[in-house]
Amino acid sequence: MRFFHISDLHIGKRVSGFSMLEDQKVILRQILDLAEKYCPDGILIAGDLYDKTMPSGEAVETADEFLFQFAEKKIPVWAVSGNHDSPERIAYGSRMMEQAGIHMSRVFDGRLQRYTFTNKKGETADIYLLPFIKPGMVRRFFPEEPVSTTQEAAALVLGKEKLLKDRPNLLVMHQFLEGASTCDSEEIQIGGTDQVDASLVDDFDYVALGHLHGPQKVGRETVRYCGSPLKYSFSEADHRKSVTVVDIFQVSEEDCGKEEKKWNIEVSTLPLKPRRDLRRLKGPMDELLKPEIWKQGNREDYVQILLTDREPVLDAAGKIRSVYPNVMQIDFQMTGESQKIQEESKLQEKTPLELFAEFYQKQTGTGLTEEQKRTAETILNQMKEEKL
């Protein structure tokens, strides 16, 4: 029995103002091609199908096409909602979609969803779905239980389930397991109140995790974050993105003792190649503009530039973009104090309306209309008057 484990697709995401949708379509096509080549029995999607709780129409169309292709190939899918998803939108039409083999997690009702799956060879596994949960989501179903942390919430939900030991038990969940490594593109709560102890999932044979973008195991090999299929921050520049493959092999009774499990699980990965990579470059301007430097990679890649020139560089952005058209960030290496002064002076030069317009542009990818500018200016003036 074979499963593909993927997560954190973040369809519709923007990085530094750049839409990643076309890059996502390319990587989703690769995942479909790998499925056609390696014939998994099913796909486990561990949350964050979308990047926002209210995704754009094009993001929804992209996700719909991706899931439809699996349905058409008769490869079942089990997916949970993540912290970036709307549980209600992920659950919409889920009972109808199940008829096509697409099993989307429903709005959390206090318990795990269990699916018993049997492949064409007659091999059986139980697949459990646990969408992203917070203490308040669990507390309403267990008002008499003390639930103030995610650890207590997860322990309560997972502890209620009785697993059948005559088959492999797989858990698909979207949470932060204690001991895992994080990166900048993830939303982690300060103080660790969102962390879950890995011992809570000890009874499951394989745990398909989502939420953290770096592929990694947590404790044992079969408790894994597969990572995001694309790089979504420069802290992920050194990541190797892939699809995680979970192979479950039945073991004959002659080859195992009475107390041992009758299956083995092997985990491997299949590499993914992005349309454009996300890279970091560092050096003086003249060096970075040399052909022997930029020819080492794809000029169309998304890049972060750290300039090390000692003197100010005139029109740094224009010069960089002439060679690296998809530059996302340009930073200057300087002492901490001079950098702080420069940043403060830049902020002081901008009006509140200009700062709001920049924020709106980064969040939506479009600029303010004239009507929106007038509305924002009116609100800002009112706030200023109230303050006075």
Side-chain angles (χ1 to χ4, degrees), residues 298-352:
N298 181 3
R299 285 181 61 189
E300 299 295 320
D301 285 346
Y302 300 115
V303 295
Q304 178 191 58
I305 301 289
L306 179 60
L307 292 175
T308 60
D309 298 84
R310 293 183 176 274
E311 300 297 327
V313 180
L314 186 65
D315 189 25
K319 291 177 180 177
I320 289 293
R321 287 196 174 91
S322 69
V323 174
Y324 306 98
N326 292 312
V327 60
M328 286 183 167
Q329 295 177 16
I330 301 176
D331 297 318
F332 297 86
Q333 182 172 306
M334 55 185 72
T335 64
E337 186 60 31
S338 62
Q339 185 173 10
K340 180 180 178 182
I341 292 171
Q342 185 185 64
E343 290 173 351
E344 288 178 350
S345 64
K346 285 182 179 179
L347 288 174
Q348 291 172 359
E349 291 171 2
K350 295 179 181 178
T351 66

Side-chain angles (χ1 to χ4, degrees), residues 4 25-38 65-71 73 75:
F4 275 9
K25 289 178 181 179
V26 169
I27 216 71
L28 294 178
R29 182 69 257 175
Q30 280 189 39
I31 294 172
L32 288 165
D33 290 343
L34 288 172
E36 192 164 345
K37 180 177 181 180
Y38 292 94
E65 177 63 21
F66 182 58
L67 295 174
F68 171 74
Q69 289 296 325
F70 285 122
K73 298 176 190 299
I75 301 175

Side-chain angles (χ1 to χ4, degrees), residues 262-280:
K262 298 178 181 180
W263 53 84
N264 290 324
I265 297 180
E266 293 183 4
V267 180
S268 58
T269 58
L270 298 172
L272 294 170
K273 183 175 178 57
R275 171 177 175 241
R276 297 188 180 108
D277 200 0
L278 192 139
R279 298 188 288 132
R280 286 170 163 165

Side-chain angles (χ1 to χ4, degrees), residues 30-290:
Q30 280 189 39
I31 294 172
L32 288 165
D33 290 343
L34 288 172
E36 192 164 345
K37 180 177 181 180
Y38 292 94
C39 304
D41 292 292
I43 311 295
L44 310 176
I45 305 180
D48 282 352
L49 184 66
Y50 297 111
D51 189 58
K52 295 183 180 298
T53 55
M54 296 184 66
S56 67
E58 193 172 3
V60 173
E61 289 176 4
T62 301
D64 177 70
E65 177 63 21
F66 182 58
L67 295 174
F68 171 74
Q69 289 296 325
F70 285 122
E72 193 172 53
K73 298 176 190 299
K74 299 190 183 308
I75 301 175
V77 173
W78 292 269
V80 300
S81 57
N83 59 303
H84 281 257
D85 297 313
S86 162
E88 293 80 8
R89 286 182 172 83
I90 294 295
Y92 177 77
S94 59
R95 284 173 290 183
M96 291 183 290
M97 294 172 69
E98 285 184 357
Q99 298 176 27
I102 307 298
H103 309 279
M104 309 296 287
S105 64
R106 298 169 192 168
V107 176
F108 181 70
D109 62 0
R111 56 185 179 179
L112 300 178
Q113 286 174 240
R114 188 185 80 179
Y115 294 90
T116 297
F117 171 66
T118 303
N119 66 5
K120 295 177 182 178
K121 298 178 181 178
E123 300 165 331
T124 298
D126 278 348
I127 300 171
Y128 292 84
L129 303 186
L130 178 60
F132 178 75
I133 56 172
K134 296 180 179 179
M137 299 166 64
V138 176
R139 195 182 303 122
R140 57 179 294 210
F141 297 102
F142 305 97
E144 297 179 357
E145 298 285 351
V147 183
S148 58
T149 65
T150 305
Q151 165 72 15
E152 292 171 342
L156 190 57
V157 176
L158 293 169
K160 297 288 184 181
E161 200 65 40
K162 303 299 181 184
L163 307 184
L164 299 177
K165 299 297 185 180
D166 63 342
R167 65 196 64 178
N169 291 280
L170 285 64
L171 174 64
V172 186
M173 67 184 294
H174 190 91
Q175 297 291 163
F176 179 19
L177 259 60
E178 187 176 355
S181 301
T182 64
C183 57
D184 293 345
S185 53
E186 300 149 355
E187 295 181 2
I188 305 300
Q189 292 182 15
I190 297 174
T193 58
D194 60 341
Q195 293 186 22
V196 174
D197 194 295
S199 64
L200 293 183
V201 298
D202 280 349
D203 288 340
F204 292 91
D205 298 288
Y206 183 81
V207 183
L209 293 164
H211 194 35
L212 304 186
H213 292 188
Q216 58 190 291
K217 66 176 182 178
V218 185
R220 57 188 166 98
E221 291 289 338
T222 52
V223 178
R224 302 191 69 86
Y225 288 99
C226 59
S228 59
L230 284 172
K231 300 174 183 179
Y232 290 131
S233 76
F234 286 101
S235 64
E236 300 176 47
D238 296 330
H239 288 187
R240 294 184 178 180
K241 302 300 186 179
S242 61
V243 171
T244 296
V245 183
V246 184
D247 284 310
I248 304 175
F249 299 97
Q250 299 293 327
V251 179
S252 64
E253 293 186 6
E254 294 80 15
D255 295 332
C256 66
K258 292 182 180 180
E259 301 300 325
E260 295 178 353
K261 293 180 178 179
K262 298 178 181 180
W263 53 84
N264 290 324
I265 297 180
E266 293 183 4
V267 180
S268 58
T269 58
L270 298 172
L272 294 170
K273 183 175 178 57
R275 171 177 175 241
R276 297 188 180 108
D277 200 0
L278 192 139
R279 298 188 288 132
R280 286 170 163 165
L281 297 173
K282 177 181 177 180
M285 175 69 78
D286 292 343
E287 187 73 18
L288 295 177
L289 298 183
K290 291 180 180 179

